[in-house]
Amino acid sequence: MGGITPPDQIETRLFINGEFVNASDGKTFELISSKDNTVLVHVQEASEEDTNRAVAAAKAAQPAWEELTVQERGAYFKKLAALIREHDREFAQLEALSMGLPVSGYFHAAAAAKIFDHYSEAGYTIQGTSSLATPGFVNLTFRQPYGVVAAIIPWNVPVLFFAKKLAPALITGNTVVLKSSEKAPLTSAKLAVLIKQAGFPPGVINVLSGHGHISGSILSYHTDVRALSFTGSTRTGRLIQEASSKSNLKAISLELGGKSPAIVFEDADLEAAVTSTAHGIQSNSGQVCMANSRIYVQDTIADRFIDLFKTKFSEIAKMGDPTSSETRHGPLVDKAQFDKVLEYIEMGKRDGNMILGPDSVSADKGYFIQPTIFTSTSEDSQIMKEEVFGPVVNINVFHSEKDVLAKANDTEYGLYASVFTKDISRAMRFAKGFQAGTVGINCSSPVTGADTPFGGYKGSGVGREGMPYHSLDFFLETKSVIIKVAG
Ligand code: NAD
């Protein structure tokens, strides 16, 4: 049951109103394997009609779902979590095939199961307030679901985002339409299979595959969708915000891109800083929103740091077939990402000094790019400002604390920032001074707190997600109820 799915049995259909269906207009799109460029499967592409049908199904299912007790809703989550755990290796395999994430160290399904387990018990934490502060009145607030909500997710960590968005949306009594990424739709379709097995009532969860245009855009403009939680690029985030303002002002949560700095001082544990930052940029071949793509190292330790980093970065990145348990460094997700990263590498060569990286690369045998390091890159170079989303890091040297904080913050992004130092006062000055939604002290991305919110300053997003209450909060309206008490 938990084995590897043969290619002809991979689920590629849409999941609408509890049924698996083909696209209404018969359209499909090719999913290309990132490891060898072959066509993996043809996936059903949700049409406008399919997207509208999914929203209508969610709307019809919502009142009964909201009427269930929180234990009844939570019971479905527990069944789903158990099924996800059972199929862990299948999720790993599907992700490796479609987007190149190595099966070694795959943890997304296990983490998703934990999220469903957590929220299965979270129903009673949804509480309003009461106040007797106004004489002659009892004032209350109710927290209520929006009704139909949508989730649009990216390809780089699909199963985790599926759970992070759906679990809080559903436990609060909303019903959901989720659109997966066209670059990694298979694990969301697999989750739909398990959702059916877990017995969720039809229409409560609908899962669509397709591109931004048509299904993503239709969801963003849909007037029956009252809240939309999005994770993806800043460019698409802007379009979704615009769609909300041009349609029904649906509530939006935007988790967007990053260009995260890591600062290493001379008093830091050098080896630990190297290990942490090398992992931060190598994990998922650098295709991580919070990856520490800019490292600033103090002049007095720069040579030692860079030497050690170069060794560590090449060692941890054992490049190869992502379905092999030996591989630590898989290919990039697709040709578009591959070409984009190569363009940035060319910019890096122009504006900095490449000390590790490819001389020439070809996509003939998969979209592999080896770990790449630039030093001494000019601060105003495009590669220092824009998100590369690949295994490419810029290491620059700094001389003064004030100067380096200004450089770290000189970006339109603000998702994650880290500082390595043993000086607690300095660490606190940076924690306060970084313009970033998450700060790591003596640790770096992808380390986050299970019980702290996640989200971006500036162009990295709007709103916060996470446990214990930020995600629940997003999926709930607040109503004030004013009761006049006769004297
Ligand atoms: P993307 O913005 O291209 O796509 C994300 C999703 O949006 C996909 O499902 C896509 O089909 C959909 N989409 C595209 N155009 C749309 C439109 N006009 N309307 C509605 N939906 C549309 O991003 P991506 O390439 O899939 O993911 C990589 C990006 O996501 C990076 O920028 C990365 O930093 C970011 N990201 C952010 C976080 C975070 O938590 N902040 C986490 C992971 C990834």
Side-chain angles (χ1 to χ4, degrees):
M1 200 177 174
I4 304 303
T5 323
D8 61 342
Q9 285 171 33
I10 292 177
E11 185 55 74
T12 56
R13 290 171 296 172
L14 315 172
F15 184 61
I16 302 174
N17 204 22
E19 300 297 335
F20 286 93
V21 293
N22 288 336
S24 59
D25 57 7
K27 281 204 180 128
T28 59
F29 61 93
E30 280 183 345
L31 188 67
I32 308 285
S33 159
S34 56
K35 69 169 179 146
D36 58 14
N37 314 357
T38 54
V39 177
L40 206 55
V41 280
H42 288 86
V43 180
Q44 300 296 318
E45 164 100 44
S47 65
E48 178 169 356
E49 186 188 325
D50 297 323
T51 312
N52 287 336
R53 231 162 50 72
V55 174
K59 193 174 177 182
Q62 197 274 331
W65 179 248
E66 184 182 350
E67 284 309 308
L68 295 182
T69 65
V70 290
Q71 289 99 335
E72 284 167 330
R73 291 203 286 272
Y76 292 110
F77 285 31
K78 289 195 173 116
K79 281 188 205 156
L80 179 60
L83 286 166
I84 293 173
R85 286 196 181 94
E86 244 176 74
H87 292 263
D88 179 82
R89 284 301 93 191
E90 212 172 327
F91 282 108
Q93 173 84 0
L94 289 174
E95 225 70 283
L97 288 174
S98 61
M99 54 78 99
L101 180 69
V103 294
S104 68
Y106 178 80
F107 65 91
H108 301 180
K114 269 193 198 157
I115 290 172
F116 277 107
D117 271 343
H118 167 82
Y119 282 104
S120 72
E121 303 284 343
Y124 281 120
T125 65
I126 303 162
Q127 299 261 322
T129 58
S130 65
S131 163
L132 301 176
T134 312
F137 285 87
V138 176
N139 293 342
L140 309 174
T141 58
F142 290 173
R143 305 304 311 276
Q144 291 178 293
Y146 279 93
V148 179
V149 302
I152 300 181
I153 58 173
W155 50 268
N156 65 333
V157 198
V159 175
L160 210 44
F161 290 126
F162 191 110
K164 279 184 171 185
K165 294 189 189 301
L166 258 66
L170 291 164
I171 201 67
T172 44
N174 300 284
T175 51
V176 186
V177 181
L178 174 135
K179 191 195 87 62
S180 61
S181 165
E182 64 279 11
K183 299 184 185 199
L186 302 184
T187 43
S188 291
K190 176 74 200 175
L191 279 160
V193 172
L194 303 186
I195 283 162
K196 191 163 167 89
Q197 278 180 30
F200 279 85
V204 166
I205 305 172
N206 305 274
V207 181
L208 303 177
S209 313
H211 290 73
H213 175 75
I214 292 175
S215 46
S217 180
I218 299 280
L219 284 176
S220 321
Y221 278 94
H222 208 297
T223 50
D224 281 340
V225 172
R226 293 288 168 191
L228 192 160
S229 177
F230 172 76
T231 298
S233 65
T234 299
R235 186 191 64 80
T236 308
R238 286 179 202 278
L239 294 174
I240 286 174
Q241 191 162 47
E242 189 184 330
S244 162
S245 71
K246 285 186 173 164
S247 56
N248 60 347
L249 282 178
K250 55 181 65 64
I252 52 167
S253 159
L254 302 177
E255 295 288 344
L256 309 176
K259 189 73 190 170
S260 302
I263 298 175
V264 185
F265 278 92
E266 63 183 2
D267 65 347
D269 178 334
L270 192 75
E271 284 228 11
V274 167
T275 303
S276 172
T277 51
H279 177 62
I281 187 63
Q282 187 273 329
S283 166
N284 205 4
S285 296
Q287 301 166 116
V288 175
C289 54
M290 56 185 143
N292 50 232
S293 49
R294 292 181 296 145
I295 299 177
Y296 293 98
V297 57
Q298 194 162 11
D299 46 8
T300 45
I301 54 158
D303 290 346
R304 276 169 53 224
F305 180 90
I306 290 167
D307 276 354
L308 202 53
F309 191 96
K310 193 172 161 185
T311 310
K312 187 70 92 182
F313 200 20
S314 7
E315 271 172 16
I316 55 172
K318 193 167 183 307
M319 195 156 90
D321 180 347
T323 57
S324 152
S325 59
E326 302 292 301
T327 299
R328 299 286 171 273
H329 187 84
L332 300 189
V333 65
D334 65 0
K335 177 86 166 65
Q337 190 62 22
F338 178 84
D339 289 343
K340 186 181 137 194
V341 173
L342 285 187
E343 260 180 57
Y344 280 111
I345 289 179
E346 286 311 308
M347 286 175 210
K349 286 180 182 168
R350 190 189 61 211
D351 300 335
N353 175 27
M354 190 171 85
I355 59 163
L356 183 74
D359 290 328
S360 66
V361 216
S362 131
D364 292 350
K365 292 203 177 109
Y367 309 121
F368 291 92
I369 293 191
Q370 73 178 89
T372 303
I373 305 173
F374 294 102
T375 56
S376 312
T377 312
S378 71
E379 284 293 324
D380 52 7
S381 168
Q382 237 173 300
I383 195 178
M384 291 295 284
K385 301 281 177 219
E386 296 174 7
E387 185 179 45
V388 176
F389 229 54
V392 179
V393 65
N394 291 83
I395 308 181
N396 276 357
V397 175
F398 73 89
H399 309 285
S400 86
E401 182 178 318
K402 197 162 155 246
D403 185 39
V404 74
L405 181 61
K407 283 179 180 159
N409 285 336
D410 187 16
T411 163
E412 268 312 298
Y413 292 110
L415 197 56
Y416 196 109
S418 47
V419 62
F420 291 81
T421 177
K422 291 198 180 102
D423 178 339
I424 182 71
S425 298
R426 176 154 59 204
M428 287 299 112
R429 285 195 293 279
F430 275 84
K432 186 173 172 215
F434 277 136
Q435 295 164 356
T438 297
V439 170
I441 295 174
N442 295 321
C443 60
S444 189
S445 63
V447 176
T448 53
D451 55 355
T452 52
F454 189 75
Y457 275 37
K458 303 191 282 188
S460 286
V462 174
R464 293 291 180 272
E465 281 189 343
M467 299 188 275
Y469 60 83
H470 285 80
S471 291
L472 291 171
D473 214 37
F474 172 71
F475 288 110
L476 289 163
E477 276 283 21
T478 301
K479 180 184 284 170
S480 293
V481 179
I482 316 296
I483 309 168
K484 189 165 177 9
V485 181

